[in-house]
Amino acid sequence: MFPQPSCKRAGVLALGLLATSLELVAAGPCDIYASGGTPCVAAHSTTRALYSNYTGPLYQVKRGSDSKTADISTLAAGGVADAAAQDSFCAKTTCLITIIYDQSGRGNHLTQAPPGGFRGPAANGYDNLASATGAPVTVNGQKAYGVFVAPGTGYRNNKASGTATGDAPEGMYAVVDGTHYNSACCFDYGNAETSSQDTGNGHMEAIYFGSSTYWGSGNGNGPWIMADLENGLFSGGKAGKNTNDPTISYRFTTAIVKGEPNQWAIRGADATAGGLSTFYSGARPANGYNPMKKEGAIILGIGGDNSNGAQGTFYEGAMTSGYPSDATENAVQADIVAAKYATSSQASSKALAPGTLISLRAATTTTSSSSSSSSSAPQYLTHNTTTAALTLQPIPLTTRSRRTAPPSFQHQQATWKVHPALGTAAEAGCISLESAAAPGTFLRHTGGGAFTLALHPDDGTKQFREDATFCALEGGLGGGGSDGDASGGDVVAIRSWNYPTRYLRRYGGGVYAASNGEGGNEFDAAAGFHEEVNWVVETGLAA
């Protein structure tokens, strides 16, 4: 282990690094940690290099059209990710993040998490992989993508090198989306068990971000930065509520946890402005947490036992050897602020303007399912207000062309009013769809593994509003075109905001929130996916 720097040395370090904005750009977070005597042993980011001289790959993506992979590197040494390379490679198809590379040189890469105390929803009990396009941002004005963790998504390395074990000192930081969270266990980044099993109190030390109150909580309603120490999320020196740990929900949030023998701390800040605050610094909790028994695996988006019900977004983070000084962390925070994280649009389609009435016509009249309708009439996304079931309804050309006054109920069932996204965490460009036949009710997916679509009234909850938020990709996916009538319209593919690997797909006469061969449901089959997620946006039939 490396010795902790003296306060005098750390203070000089911080002053030197804060001297000019040029120096902040030149030094990355892991350069700063190294100068402070606590070098990074793991450094992960899909948005930028964390060392000033790093030019290697940041992450790997796999595209759905042919399962080929590509590494995405930086635009320049120490720079931002080459998002244009990803966009070119993933054009007209889906892409997943398969590897998040470790920039420290120790090979501590993060890959698809295996089953543990909890099984994941992917094949053989593994967790899902994240969409490569679910979390667009800008860094210093340049486009990049974060890691959008939906429930069931997780990454892990159970054979990490150089990470703290036992009671050895360590530090860690992460930049996360402070508005994307839930109360489930556990959106973590940090040190965990090497077996993917719960092996007891004190066998973990990881950053947690979310609003869980099962083990502990902070002030207000959350979310909070807490520490996952296994069998407990701690907001302070004791289990339960620590009012000094505030609700913190900056759009870009810096979260820090660090620990050494009988001492640990929680710190946090707005990742775009200002300095770090310390929410707890003191002795370890009782009952198995002093001394610690850390095992050294690395997790992202999940708990130590692979508990995978949480959600969140990760942009960058690192783990250190040794207990970083506050001054070193303050300099790291200044570097993060200098990176100028900013939001970016989730969607590219201009066809779904809020306030307009639209109908969504299937871009093809056939699907890969043998149980689909054999009608040659163009098919529309419609609903039955009695059962709230979402279906494909063939509407013959003569019926569609006849604009009755008032419109027929058939027309109303196939007409949707476009709203700005109900989901408070959704970026500009995403939308929600209200029924014209049943005003006040909105299209949503049901999640929970079923991923059927339904029509429900807005109950004002965070869960409903996220389930009812969708983002449209202009031009659709693949080469699927329209073999219906020639009325024109823009082709789009519409994906779920909070499950960005899932798109509205017509299948077997119904419509589902489906993934491209990754979900395990019949409607998740890869065959036909690219054609069956394409929709033609028309003026609403009831308009």
Side-chain angles (χ1 to χ4, degrees):
M1 292 299 171
F2 291 81
Q4 183 179 344
S6 68
C7 293
K8 180 179 179 180
R9 177 185 175 190
V12 171
L13 165 72
L15 289 173
L17 288 167
L18 291 170
T20 68
S21 60
L22 179 61
E23 290 178 41
L24 282 172
V25 172
C30 286
D31 300 315
I32 297 169
Y33 277 121
S35 296
T38 53
C40 293
V41 293
H44 303 107
S45 176
T46 57
T47 61
R48 65 171 183 146
L50 302 183
Y51 293 85
S52 61
N53 63 352
Y54 186 78
T55 58
L58 300 177
Y59 61 105
Q60 181 189 86
V61 295
K62 181 179 75 171
R63 65 187 178 196
S65 57
D66 58 9
S67 295
K68 288 185 177 180
T69 62
D71 287 343
I72 307 301
S73 298
T74 61
L75 288 166
V80 178
D82 187 356
Q86 175 184 306
D87 290 342
S88 176
F89 182 77
C90 299
K92 295 292 185 180
T93 188
T94 58
C95 264
L96 300 173
I97 297 173
T98 47
I99 303 172
I100 305 170
Y101 289 110
D102 172 27
Q103 301 176 31
S104 76
R106 290 183 172 271
N108 291 328
H109 312 313
L110 296 174
T111 57
Q112 187 173 17
F118 292 84
R119 293 177 62 83
N124 299 315
Y126 277 68
D127 292 341
N128 288 332
L129 295 167
S131 166
T133 58
V137 292
T138 61
V139 179
N140 279 316
Q142 296 175 312
K143 185 179 181 181
Y145 292 99
V147 183
F148 190 104
V149 174
T153 303
Y155 293 82
R156 194 176 195 115
N157 184 326
N158 281 339
K159 296 182 179 180
S161 167
T163 49
T165 57
D167 208 24
E170 69 176 347
M172 62 198 73
Y173 87 94
V175 177
V176 301
D177 180 346
T179 64
H180 182 211
Y181 63 92
N182 64 12
S183 61
C185 184
C186 287
F187 181 69
D188 290 350
Y189 173 70
N191 194 317
E193 294 95 334
T194 57
S195 62
S196 301
Q197 301 285 339
D198 179 351
T199 52
N201 296 5
H203 284 245
M204 287 184 63
E205 187 166 61
I207 296 167
Y208 165 82
F209 187 78
S211 59
S212 173
T213 59
Y214 187 82
W215 295 277
S217 65
N219 197 42
N221 296 322
W224 306 284
I225 302 168
M226 295 194 283
D228 190 342
L229 305 180
E230 193 54 275
N231 296 321
L233 297 176
F234 287 89
S235 55
K238 298 180 180 179
K241 187 173 184 177
N242 171 23
T243 57
N244 292 323
D245 192 19
T247 291
I248 182 168
S249 55
Y250 303 113
R251 175 58 180 81
F252 298 98
T253 296
T254 302
I256 287 177
V257 167
K258 57 183 175 179
E260 61 181 350
N262 203 27
Q263 167 67 33
W264 71 288
I266 303 173
R267 308 186 77 201
D270 182 344
T272 65
L276 290 163
S277 297
T278 300
F279 305 139
Y280 176 78
S281 180
R284 293 284 192 184
N287 301 319
Y289 301 97
N290 182 40
M292 293 287 284
K293 308 167 190 68
K294 292 174 279 193
E295 298 186 26
I298 306 173
I299 54 172
L300 173 60
I302 51 176
D305 57 1
N306 197 47
S307 47
N308 53 24
Q311 65 183 33
T313 300
F314 174 88
Y315 300 106
E316 64 176 77
M319 299 170 63
T320 71
S321 174
Y323 190 86
S325 69
D326 285 359
T328 298
E329 292 169 340
N330 293 344
V332 169
Q333 164 67 4
D335 179 272
I336 294 167
V337 171
K340 297 180 181 178
Y341 274 97
T343 59
S344 180
S345 177
Q346 289 264 15
S348 61
S349 175
K350 299 176 182 177
L352 300 176
T356 57
L357 292 175
I358 65 161
S359 292
L360 292 171
R361 172 167 55 84
T364 57
T365 58
T366 58
T367 74
S368 57
S369 170
S370 60
S371 60
S372 61
S373 172
S374 61
S375 171
S376 61
Q379 299 170 340
Y380 285 78
L381 177 65
T382 63
H383 64 83
N384 181 317
T385 54
T386 301
T387 63
L390 274 294
T391 62
L392 282 174
Q393 179 173 307
I395 301 179
L397 178 61
T398 55
T399 305
R400 293 187 305 117
S401 301
R402 187 188 313 126
R403 295 290 187 253
T404 57
S408 71
F409 192 62
Q410 188 181 34
H411 286 154
Q412 291 179 320
Q413 287 179 310
T415 300
W416 306 88
K417 183 176 181 180
V418 181
H419 283 259
L422 293 177
T424 55
E427 312 291 11
C430 295
I431 51 96
S432 295
L433 296 174
E434 180 185 19
S435 165
T441 62
F442 291 81
L443 174 68
R444 71 174 296 189
H445 68 77
T446 58
F451 294 106
T452 56
L453 295 176
L455 194 70
H456 291 157
D458 180 6
D459 62 11
T461 63
K462 181 175 183 289
Q463 186 67 61
F464 175 89
R465 294 190 161 198
E466 292 179 355
D467 290 347
T469 294
F470 299 89
C471 309
L473 176 66
E474 195 165 44
L477 293 182
S482 173
D483 55 3
D485 69 87
S487 63
D490 295 290
V491 176
V492 298
I494 302 174
R495 66 168 177 83
S496 162
W497 177 80
N498 60 349
Y499 286 85
T501 61
R502 294 188 169 274
Y503 290 72
L504 299 192
R505 180 184 189 176
R506 55 194 180 278
Y507 190 90
V511 185
Y512 304 89
S515 68
N516 186 5
E518 299 289 331
N521 299 297
E522 184 181 7
F523 54 77
D524 291 319
F529 178 86
H530 288 83
E531 293 77 18
E532 292 161 10
V533 297
N534 289 334
W535 301 87
V536 180
V537 182
E538 295 182 351
T539 300
L541 298 183

